[in-house]
Amino acid sequence: MPVNGRPDGEATRDEDGTVDGGAGGTARRRTARSAAARTAPDGAGGREYRIVELARAAGVPVRTLRYYQERKLLPPPRRAGRVGLYGDGHLARLRVIGDLLERGHTLEGIRELLSAWEQGRDIGAVLGVDTAGAAPWSREVPVTLTLDELAGLFQDEIDPAALERAAALGLIEVDGDRVTHWSRRQLDAAVALAGAGVPLRDLLSAGQELQRRMDDLAALFVRLIATHVARDRGGQDPGDLTDTLARLRPGAQLTVEAGFARALDRQVRAVIDQLPGRLATP
């Protein structure tokens, strides 16, 4: 299981930092770190770090830094020939990310916060210093549109049967001629796949299978926590279990995200490896 939302197994594989020096601190320290991360010019004045040095200073593995860069959480370094040099702004940002992970934010939520913060919004409002305890389990944003708009997104594949199936899966709610999808991000992903040529019926079948597997993974996570964490601490109160799950949820979510990305890479490579043979077949 990841530590503080960092990729699984990194603390034992990297020699460049296994102590979580970026977590903890008060809301005032978080705000100060936020200001430093946004205003410090990376590589312009102040100290510069190679990636191993930055990892050591931040108390995170090198692979975590690379993962954050891939997720657009950490800006790229200044290039000096073939060497990447990071600044104090990178270090401050890593500490902010650690703080937010400990407070229960997901990496996607952190990316959105950092994006808003870079646009100059008030630091306290962006970080939610006064409302950290009110964070919901799901941060998905619903989207409502008309039936005609939905049909246009899916090249007119929307019919009563498709609507009924999507509603049965819990993806949408239909109210007259208006449809509310539970997640704007998931709808955008489905539209992209449909635009690439995947039929809507196959998208719905894949969504049904994905939901089943996600339910199994979620049940596994909850069972582990309820059995080995909450019970061992004597926490029989449902509130205790909820608090424990909320605290450990970011790590579990990142495990699923990282595992899926890795599995996707394997499957893509497998298909690519088969292409020469297929092309050579008469």
Side-chain angles (χ1 to χ4, degrees):
M1 190 69 67
V3 179
N4 288 332
R6 297 183 175 92
D8 189 26
E10 290 185 351
T12 58
R13 294 182 184 179
D14 285 296
E15 299 177 356
D16 303 301
T18 57
V19 180
D20 186 5
T26 62
R28 183 168 55 189
R29 284 167 53 205
R30 293 188 184 106
T31 302
R33 288 173 179 174
S34 301
R38 193 177 71 188
T39 60
D42 296 328
R47 180 177 175 181
E48 289 190 317
Y49 309 80
R50 295 188 180 221
I51 190 167
V52 173
E53 296 169 334
L54 181 65
R56 186 178 298 116
V60 297
V62 170
R63 286 183 57 202
T64 296
L65 301 191
R66 295 195 176 108
Y67 183 75
Y68 287 168
Q69 283 185 208
E70 292 172 2
R71 297 292 301 272
K72 309 300 183 185
L73 289 162
L74 191 69
R78 181 179 74 83
R79 306 303 302 187
R82 299 180 61 183
V83 178
L85 295 175
Y86 300 80
D88 289 332
H90 291 96
L91 179 58
R93 178 179 289 233
L94 286 170
R95 289 172 175 165
V96 170
I97 292 171
D99 287 343
L100 292 173
L101 284 171
E102 185 156 285
R103 289 171 57 191
H105 291 270
T106 65
L107 284 180
E108 177 61 25
I110 292 173
R111 188 188 63 77
E112 293 172 357
L113 286 172
L114 291 175
S115 176
W117 157 33
E118 289 169 341
Q119 295 170 18
R121 289 178 52 190
D122 177 73
I123 294 172
V126 170
L127 296 181
V129 170
D130 296 326
T131 58
W137 274 79
S138 175
R139 294 176 175 82
E140 296 301 321
V141 178
V143 56
T144 300
L145 58 168
T146 66
L147 285 171
D148 288 341
E149 290 170 336
L150 185 65
L153 292 175
F154 289 95
Q155 302 175 6
D156 295 322
E157 287 189 86
I158 298 295
D159 57 27
L163 288 174
E164 183 177 352
R165 188 177 181 190
L169 290 172
L171 300 176
I172 63 171
E173 292 182 359
V174 182
D175 183 11
D177 66 343
R178 301 188 69 80
V179 179
T180 299
H181 194 288
W182 77 279
S183 167
R184 179 180 292 276
R185 291 193 305 167
Q186 191 180 74
L187 177 61
D188 289 344
V191 170
L193 288 168
V198 180
L200 179 58
R201 63 179 181 277
D202 292 338
L203 283 174
L204 291 174
S205 295
Q208 183 174 12
E209 179 65 14
L210 181 63
Q211 181 172 295
R212 182 185 68 79
R213 298 194 183 199
M214 289 297 102
D215 284 343
D216 290 342
L217 286 173
L220 174 62
F221 169 67
V222 173
R223 188 164 59 249
L224 285 171
I225 300 306
T227 301
H228 299 290
V229 180
R231 189 180 66 183
D232 290 348
R233 295 180 180 179
Q236 301 298 322
D237 188 332
D240 292 338
L241 177 59
T242 299
D243 290 343
T244 302
L245 288 169
R247 178 169 53 83
L248 297 178
R249 173 179 176 259
Q253 183 166 331
L254 181 60
T255 297
V256 174
E257 292 177 1
F260 180 75
R262 187 179 184 186
L264 191 61
D265 288 342
R266 287 198 301 267
Q267 295 300 319
V268 169
R269 284 196 299 269
V271 171
I272 292 175
D273 289 344
Q274 295 173 6
L275 286 178
R278 291 179 180 177
L279 294 175
T281 302

